[in-house]
Amino acid sequence: MYDQPRANPSQAAMTFDQMLERVRYEGAHPTRERAEESVRAVLAALGRQLTGGERVDLAQCLPVEAALALTAQIPVTEQLTGWGFVKDLAERTSTTPAVARWDTGAVLSVVARLAGPDLLARILRRLPGGYALLFGQAELRRPEPAAA
């Protein structure tokens, strides 16, 4: 009984409207429309960076509208660091890096809660350094290979 796959195990724990309200609160956005702009821009940028099973699993955790913003993007061949991600988002949205960093933190902190700790750990292992802080997590140093 327990070994059978569940029908639609990817039911989002939050509606898109609830997600927007959470991002609006976290990011102190003045309007729901501004929060939606942030959600769509940040998820599109993340969709360009994330590949593989983590991308699919994250999309399943998100509300449909958010999942579509994430998966509509073709992943790039060269991933950006966390800071590179923020700078790229600032350029694409015609904002400052400070505003892009603020928006990123507001959106990705909500995404982190929806993803859960196990999936978030997998996502952070797949991405270059600097993303943990964007998701509201501690940035742990990756072990450096010993010099010969």
Side-chain angles (χ1 to χ4, degrees):
M1 172 162 94
Y2 292 105
D3 60 345
Q4 298 296 319
R6 296 184 330 201
N8 196 11
S10 62
Q11 199 59 260
M14 187 181 285
T15 67
F16 190 59
D17 286 336
Q18 290 169 329
M19 182 182 193
L20 293 179
E21 283 306 312
R22 192 77 215 150
V23 169
R24 181 178 177 192
Y25 176 79
E26 297 278 337
H29 295 301
T31 64
R32 181 183 181 281
E33 291 74 23
R34 178 65 184 96
E36 185 171 353
E37 289 172 14
S38 293
V39 166
R40 292 187 186 280
V42 170
L43 289 177
L46 184 60
R48 287 188 290 278
Q49 298 300 310
L50 197 56
T51 61
E54 291 77 15
R55 178 184 170 103
V56 172
D57 292 345
L58 180 58
Q60 290 178 340
C61 294
L62 299 174
V64 172
E65 299 89 340
L68 290 172
L70 175 81
T71 58
Q73 302 301 309
I74 297 172
V76 295
T77 56
E78 188 176 326
Q79 290 182 317
L80 300 170
T81 64
W83 177 238
F85 178 89
V86 170
K87 290 191 308 186
D88 181 64
L89 182 63
E91 287 177 21
R92 288 176 185 271
T93 58
S94 300
T95 61
T96 65
V99 169
R101 171 60 182 94
W102 183 265
D103 288 348
T104 299
V107 173
L108 294 185
S109 66
V110 174
V111 169
R113 284 192 290 265
L114 288 170
D118 294 337
L119 177 55
L120 182 58
R122 287 176 38 218
I123 289 169
L124 291 175
R125 279 193 300 271
R126 167 128 358 227
L127 294 170
Y131 281 86
L133 293 174
L134 299 177
F135 280 96
Q137 305 295 306
E139 181 78 43
L140 301 176
R141 297 191 100 170
R142 296 179 185 186
E144 299 284 334

